Amino acid sequence: MANSMVAAGGGGGVALFNDAHSFMRNVSDEVDAVKRFIAAEDEKRRVEIEDLRRDQEQERFERRDALNSLRYEFEEFVRRKIDKVLEEVTEMKRMSRRDDSQQQQQINHLIADFDRLKENLFAVQSSWGKLVNNCVSPALQETVKQAELEAQEQQKVQQAAAPSSPPTMTRSRSETRGGRFTA
């Protein structure tokens, strides 16, 4: 009997909690469903975050590549400009040397012309001297020689005082009469 009561009471007691058990089962099922939903959403977010990280990493590499490309282009540009400037400097030096050599040639020609002029003036002076010797009396020649010696001494004194000045053509009074110049 006790067993039957337990069975009857037990069966009645179970029925009494059926609503609570079904409510608990429903809540448990809902909790499981929410957990599954949260896990699924969490997995979607992880996948999305991983995709975003890969995209971010890809963009970082692309920016780095673009920056490196820009840097290399700039370095190449600068190198070309430097090479161009160096070529122009080299060309300017070469032109300067060519100009210098042309100027040196002109200077050499001027020196040669001055040497010829000097030789010709000495020839003119010696011709005048011969003319004076042939045309002037011996007494007058003596006066001219003394004047020439005085003029030469004056020139030596002037040259010693100013050695950097070029020789000048001087004419003394006695030379004016005799028609001779001294250098």
Side-chain angles (χ1 to χ4, degrees), residues 18-81:
N18 276 344
D19 286 339
H21 282 278
S22 70
F23 176 74
M24 288 298 282
R25 192 175 310 119
N26 287 340
V27 169
S28 176
D29 289 342
E30 283 182 27
V31 168
D32 287 340
V34 169
K35 283 182 181 179
R36 284 191 304 270
F37 176 74
I38 289 173
E41 288 297 315
D42 191 39
E43 186 60 30
K44 286 180 187 176
R45 297 298 171 254
R46 272 194 222 117
V47 169
E48 188 177 338
I49 288 172
E50 187 62 33
D51 287 344
L52 289 174
R53 281 186 183 147
R54 273 189 254 122
D55 289 346
Q56 184 182 24
E57 192 68 26
Q58 182 66 30
E59 287 178 6
R60 186 180 305 138
F61 285 132
E62 288 173 0
R63 279 194 311 268
R64 188 176 297 146
D65 288 344
L67 183 64
N68 285 338
S69 175
L70 183 63
R71 187 181 79 206
Y72 294 141
E73 287 177 19
F74 182 73
E75 286 175 355
E76 179 64 24
F77 175 77
V78 168
R79 187 188 60 76
R80 283 193 314 254
K81 288 296 182 181

Side-chain angles (χ1 to χ4, degrees), residues 81-97:
K81 288 296 182 181
I82 289 173
D83 289 344
K84 186 176 180 181
V85 167
L86 290 176
E87 288 173 6
E88 289 177 2
V89 166
T90 304
E91 180 67 23
M92 287 174 47
K93 284 182 179 178
R94 193 174 72 237
M95 292 300 290
S96 174
R97 286 185 196 127

